[in-house]
């Protein structure tokens, strides 16, 4: 299978801006639905042990820590779902559906998409700690693998191999495009993360205040 051509960064940015501008309500709704599910899940351990006697028991047994870690891991899987919903929206020929519909549309591809992302995380960590390869050298080769679960219906190792083939021989072009897009996305991401943390902290303080 031949390598697809790479779109110029300016065209990528223009297309993304055009789609966002004409569908900003749907895009923001998808983001906040995903964020909302993550916040609720991360707050679940706090809500469950809002009673101080239960909190003490959980602390003594070390259960609270594991409960929180479990909730955090599940929130990562929810994050995958939110990301997949955004991809599904972007690739959809018609973008006139309500935001929640894109979460439903991508359910069949969820595990393929998630398994591919998990493999990327495992390979990245193994390369960093076992092979001492900088992640910045490796990740451009794997960057397209999750999207291939949607566009070419391939997943897992096959998606990773396909992504590597796409990037092979043009690492710098792929790296440059993703670095530019990352610089543009970091500010809004940090703002959303700040909002998430503030909501979680305020809710945490509210729950403890009622205990």
């Amino acid at each position: 299978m031949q390598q697809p051509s790479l779109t110029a960064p300016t065209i990528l940015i223009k297309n993304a801006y055009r789609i966002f501008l004409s569908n900003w309500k749907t895009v923001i709704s998808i983001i906040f639905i995903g964020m909302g599910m993550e916040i609720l899940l991360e707050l679940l351990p706090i809500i469950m042990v809002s009673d101080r006697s239960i909190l003490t028991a959980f602390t003594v047994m070390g259960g609270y820590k594991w409960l929180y870690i479990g909730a955090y891991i599940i929130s990562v899987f929810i994050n995958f779902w939110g990301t997949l919903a955004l991809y599904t929206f972007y690739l959809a020929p018609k973008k006139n559906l309500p935001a929640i519909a894109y979460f439903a549309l991508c359910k069949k591809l969820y595990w393929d998409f998630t398994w591919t992302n998990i493999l990327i995380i495992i390979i990245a960590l193994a390369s960093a700690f076992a092979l001492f390869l900088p992640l910045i050298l490796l990740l451009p080769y794997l960057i397209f693998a999750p999207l291939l679960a949607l566009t070419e219906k391939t997943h897992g190792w096959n998606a990773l191999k396909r992504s590597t083939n796409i990037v092979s021989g043009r690492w710098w072009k792929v790296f440059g495009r993703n670095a530019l897009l990352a610089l543009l996305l970091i500010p809004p991401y940090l703002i959303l993360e700040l909002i998430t943390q503030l909501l979680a902290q305020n809710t945490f303080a509210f729950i403890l205040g009622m205990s």
Side-chain angles (χ1 to χ4, degrees), residues 106-165:
C106 66
K107 283 194 301 184
K108 290 183 179 180
L109 295 171
Y110 175 78
W111 289 112
D112 291 345
F113 180 82
T114 299
W115 172 234
T116 303
N117 276 287
I118 290 173
L119 281 178
I120 291 174
I121 293 171
I122 292 172
I123 291 173
L125 292 175
S127 299
F129 291 106
L131 303 178
F132 304 104
L133 291 175
L135 295 183
I136 197 172
L137 296 178
L138 179 66
L139 289 181
Y141 285 106
L142 310 177
I143 197 72
F144 296 118
L147 275 172
L148 292 170
L150 282 76
T151 58
E152 297 186 4
K153 302 298 186 290
T154 184
H155 61 278
W157 293 111
N158 290 331
L160 297 178
K161 291 177 184 177
R162 174 67 176 140
S163 179
T164 301
N165 290 335

Side-chain angles (χ1 to χ4, degrees), residues 18-165:
R18 176 180 54 80
I19 292 174
F20 174 78
L21 201 62
S22 57
N23 304 274
W24 66 271
K25 291 181 181 179
T26 304
V27 173
I28 292 176
S29 295
I30 292 173
I31 292 172
F32 275 95
I33 288 172
M35 283 178 56
M37 289 191 292
E38 286 184 63
I39 292 171
L40 287 174
L41 189 61
E42 291 179 10
L43 288 174
L44 183 61
I46 300 171
I47 296 171
M48 289 179 65
V49 296
S50 58
D51 185 287
R52 293 190 182 277
S53 60
I54 300 177
L55 175 61
T56 302
F58 264 86
T59 303
V60 170
M61 294 184 295
Y64 180 74
K65 176 180 68 176
W66 293 110
L67 184 64
Y68 190 84
I69 291 174
Y72 178 78
I73 291 173
I74 296 173
S75 74
V76 172
F77 284 86
I78 291 176
N79 181 269
F80 288 155
W81 193 13
T83 303
L84 182 56
L86 272 177
Y87 285 162
T88 303
F89 163 78
Y90 182 79
L91 295 171
K94 293 183 179 180
K95 307 184 190 302
N96 55 351
L97 297 174
I100 195 68
Y102 294 99
F103 285 86
L105 284 175
C106 66
K107 283 194 301 184
K108 290 183 179 180
L109 295 171
Y110 175 78
W111 289 112
D112 291 345
F113 180 82
T114 299
W115 172 234
T116 303
N117 276 287
I118 290 173
L119 281 178
I120 291 174
I121 293 171
I122 292 172
I123 291 173
L125 292 175
S127 299
F129 291 106
L131 303 178
F132 304 104
L133 291 175
L135 295 183
I136 197 172
L137 296 178
L138 179 66
L139 289 181
Y141 285 106
L142 310 177
I143 197 72
F144 296 118
L147 275 172
L148 292 170
L150 282 76
T151 58
E152 297 186 4
K153 302 298 186 290
T154 184
H155 61 278
W157 293 111
N158 290 331
L160 297 178
K161 291 177 184 177
R162 174 67 176 140
S163 179
T164 301
N165 290 335

Side-chain angles (χ1 to χ4, degrees), residues 162-179:
R162 174 67 176 140
S163 179
T164 301
N165 290 335
I166 291 173
V167 178
S168 181
R170 42 186 181 179
W171 185 93
W172 280 109
K173 290 182 179 180
V174 174
F175 173 77
R177 284 163 170 76
N178 283 282

